[in-house]
Amino acid sequence: MSSTSAKQNIWQVIFASSAGTLIEWYDFYIFGSLSLILSEKFFPDSNPTLAYVATLATFAVGFIVRPFGAIVFGRLGDMVGRKYTFLLTLLIMGGSTFAIGLIPSYATIGILAPILVLILRLAQGLALGGEYGGAATYVAEHAPANKRGYYTSFIQTTATLGLFVSLGVILATRLSMSPEKFNEWGWRIPFWLSVFLVMMSYYIRIKLHESPLFSKLKSEGKTSKNPLKESFGNKENLKLVLLALFGAAMGQGVVWYTGQFYALSFLQNTMKIDFVQSNIIIAVALLFGTPFFIYFGGLSDRIGRKKIMMAGMFIAAISYFPIYNAMDKTVDLSSKQEISAMYRVEGNVTPDADGKMVESSAKVRTYADSTVVRDVTVTKAGKTTQHKEIKVGNTAMIWLIFLVFIQVIFVTMVYGPIAAFLVELFPTRIRYTSMSLPYHIGNGVFGGLLPAIATLMVQRTGNHLAGLFYPVTIAIICMVIGMVFIKEKKTKDGYAEEPEV
């Protein structure tokens, strides 16, 4: 094969793998991005705080089952092939996401609503558990050894881009209609759009060929007959699996979710910043930060995966408290000058989606730095709830974008090189199974539980920064284990090692 055709082939592989993985992440994250609205739709409204925590827990369930998906689909991928396995995961994910957009509200079908959501989140988690390992393995097995970090880093951008696209679609939908219509039914549109994205990605992926390393194994009759036993029953390989989890994936998972998902949750639920503004802050930070996945992936081919990932965990751990403290202070009303002439009270009565009348009033205060605070009181069916909505000025917006952008840089340091690191740790015959499990426990359990755990810690203690103790502790433990036990060998091509077949 000529160098030109080889280059075209690897880019075709990257595009097809990345497009599908991006869509699967989009499917997975629109649930988290809309968690506040979903808590109102699928859970009883008698206790809004508890409903929100329950929604975060349902979101987290999708992460918890990812390791089981890694085992099921990893085994299938090592026995049947990478291509057909991640075609199957794509269809399961897309179908589940579309179905969530069809579920009637709690007010319509009662307890059946959260049960159906939970079942579909389980399906999503299982599918995603099989997707990432397949895509990363597929790209790595097409890439030259000395550029494996660079090429697999394009797969690493898809999780962040999936979140970015989900935020973009949600914002576009929200801005195309009134807040009332969006809350009533417009939030379903991002879920419905998934089916068209999945069909497009399936069409692209079905044209791919199986990876050359796996095809070689299959033609020689050397594929694993029992990938689970070889991966986890073999003492030496199990040691590598545990090292991959506790020395890399665990810390990477909490840094990833702190810098993106917890940052969004903190803006919306702790700082009470306006829904549109908070999503714009995250989206812009992600847009500027995403190219650094590729930078650090390529850099890992030259100086090693370990140095970059461990540095990312360490810098993140010592930086989170000052960063989040600085974020929180941007809405500290005690330090702002209120413009009393711009104080006003708003009130109205409107029917909700079920035709019930809802009374709402808002005390609106404006401050000298353009911050606008709305203290909202809502009365529905005789029950009164109160919440605060804050819109910050342009200067504060830019400052918050910068603070989230710094966190995204930490994410790119730990996440950019990790696909190549995991691929090179295991032999081809059991790679899909072996790398998928530690990755999805690290991300799905340690990382996926972070928003729910951190939010609960903030609510229980009243300390806005209490939720950070969890990711900081996990990141430091992981960094210490990685520094002590992970060994990297420098080869003639740099730090990338040719994996065993």
Side-chain angles (χ1 to χ4, degrees):
M1 182 183 292
S2 70
S3 61
T4 302
S5 61
K7 187 174 181 181
Q8 290 174 341
N9 184 52
I10 186 64
W11 286 113
Q12 180 187 9
V13 166
I14 289 170
F15 175 74
S17 300
S18 299
T21 307
L22 184 152
I23 290 166
E24 291 212 37
W25 283 114
Y26 163 85
D27 285 354
F28 203 72
Y29 286 136
I30 52 177
F31 190 98
S33 301
L34 291 169
S35 57
L36 201 55
I37 292 176
L38 297 180
S39 69
E40 300 170 356
K41 299 299 178 183
F42 296 133
F43 292 89
D45 59 6
S46 55
N47 189 332
T49 300
L50 184 60
Y52 179 68
V53 172
T55 304
L56 287 179
T58 305
F59 179 61
V61 162
F63 291 93
I64 294 171
V65 299
R66 277 166 57 179
F68 298 100
I71 291 173
V72 172
F73 293 109
R75 177 178 179 276
L76 192 64
D78 280 328
M79 295 180 68
V80 178
R82 287 61 164 123
K83 171 187 171 180
Y84 292 105
T85 302
F86 66 35
L87 279 173
L88 179 60
T89 61
L90 180 69
L91 293 176
I92 294 173
M93 175 65 80
S96 300
T97 304
F98 180 73
I100 288 176
L102 299 176
I103 297 176
S105 67
Y106 183 91
T108 304
I109 61 172
I111 193 64
L112 193 58
I115 291 174
L116 289 174
V117 171
L118 181 63
I119 291 171
L120 292 172
R121 282 299 292 174
L122 289 170
Q124 282 187 322
L126 289 170
L128 194 60
E131 165 64 24
Y132 175 82
T137 299
Y138 190 74
V139 171
E141 290 179 350
H142 280 84
N146 63 341
K147 287 190 175 181
R148 192 174 292 115
Y150 172 69
Y151 285 129
T152 57
S153 67
F154 285 89
I155 289 288
Q156 303 307 89
T157 67
T158 59
T160 295
L161 286 173
L163 177 55
F164 177 79
V165 172
S166 74
L167 295 176
V169 171
I170 290 167
L171 279 174
T173 306
R174 166 64 182 80
L175 295 173
S176 68
M177 59 182 64
S178 68
E180 292 76 20
K181 286 187 177 179
F182 182 78
N183 288 330
E184 183 181 341
W185 61 269
W187 61 270
R188 296 181 183 272
I189 292 176
F191 289 94
W192 295 340
L193 286 177
S194 173
V195 71
F196 300 105
L197 297 173
V198 168
M199 289 169 60
M200 178 182 67
S201 182
Y202 183 85
Y203 177 77
I204 295 170
R205 281 189 172 187
I206 197 68
K207 295 177 178 291
L208 295 176
H209 299 293
E210 187 54 82
S211 88
L213 289 179
F214 185 83
S215 296
K216 182 174 182 292
L217 276 182
K218 199 167 186 177
S219 65
E220 295 172 353
K222 295 181 179 179
T223 55
S224 176
K225 299 296 187 292
N226 193 338
L228 296 179
K229 183 177 180 180
E230 287 189 48
S231 293
F232 312 121
N234 179 290
K235 181 184 287 188
E236 288 303 312
N237 200 77
L238 179 60
K239 181 181 176 181
L240 292 177
V241 170
L242 295 175
L243 182 59
L245 170 58
F246 295 110
M250 178 176 73
Q252 173 262 303
V254 295
V255 172
W256 201 101
Y257 287 99
T258 302
Q260 299 179 127
F261 250 107
Y262 185 59
L264 178 61
S265 176
F266 190 82
L267 288 168
Q268 290 182 346
N269 303 298
T270 301
M271 296 173 62
K272 307 300 181 185
I273 289 183
D274 171 72
F275 177 85
V276 171
Q277 275 196 332
S278 58
N279 279 279
I280 289 174
I281 289 167
I282 298 295
V284 174
L286 294 180
L287 181 64
F288 285 109
T290 296
F292 288 89
F293 285 104
I294 298 166
Y295 171 76
F296 286 115
L299 186 63
S300 75
D301 288 328
R302 301 190 296 276
I303 71 171
R305 328 289 187 207
K306 172 182 171 178
K307 293 184 183 72
I308 299 171
M309 292 190 297
M310 298 303 117
M313 291 178 205
F314 177 71
I315 298 171
I318 63 174
S319 302
Y320 280 148
F321 278 101
I323 287 175
Y324 277 83
N325 186 49
M327 289 171 65
D328 203 26
K329 283 187 180 299
T330 61
V331 294
D332 181 4
L333 301 181
S334 64
S335 64
K336 301 180 186 296
Q337 180 185 354
E338 183 178 348
I339 305 174
S340 57
M342 298 187 71
Y343 172 94
R344 68 184 189 276
V345 175
E346 301 172 347
N348 57 45
V349 180
T350 56
D352 65 6
D354 303 314
K356 298 177 181 178
M357 301 309 292
V358 178
E359 299 177 30
S360 64
S361 62
K363 182 172 69 175
V364 184
R365 293 169 286 163
T366 303
Y367 292 82
D369 66 346
S370 300
T371 297
V372 177
V373 179
R374 300 178 79 247
D375 297 303
V376 183
T377 300
V378 179
T379 302
K380 178 180 178 181
K383 297 177 182 177
T384 299
T385 59
Q386 295 178 319
H387 66 274
K388 191 182 294 291
E389 298 172 0
I390 300 176
K391 282 191 176 183
V392 296
N394 291 336
T395 302
M397 278 282 286
I398 293 170
W399 176 234
L400 289 170
I401 288 169
F402 174 71
L403 292 173
V404 175
F405 168 76
I406 294 173
Q407 297 178 64
V408 176
I409 295 299
F410 304 154
V411 172
T412 64
M413 292 178 71
V414 298
Y415 199 53
I418 201 167
F421 166 79
L422 292 173
V423 163
E424 291 164 351
L425 210 55
F426 304 104
T428 303
R429 59 187 282 113
I430 55 172
R431 177 175 298 134
Y432 200 149
T433 303
S434 294
M435 74 167 283
S436 292
L437 187 64
Y439 173 83
H440 285 296
I441 292 177
N443 283 266
V445 178
F446 288 98
L449 289 175
L450 191 151
I453 291 174
T455 301
L456 200 57
M457 289 173 73
V458 170
Q459 291 174 348
R460 287 288 177 88
T461 63
N463 180 354
H464 285 191
L465 304 182
L468 296 173
F469 284 104
Y470 174 74
V472 167
T473 302
I474 297 296
I476 290 175
I477 292 172
C478 186
M479 183 206 67
V480 171
I481 293 173
M483 290 295 294
V484 173
F485 295 104
I486 292 177
K487 310 296 180 185
E488 278 192 309
K489 296 179 182 178
K490 187 170 183 178
T491 69
K492 63 179 180 179
D493 292 320
Y495 278 83
E497 293 187 78
E498 189 63 54
E500 298 175 47
V501 173

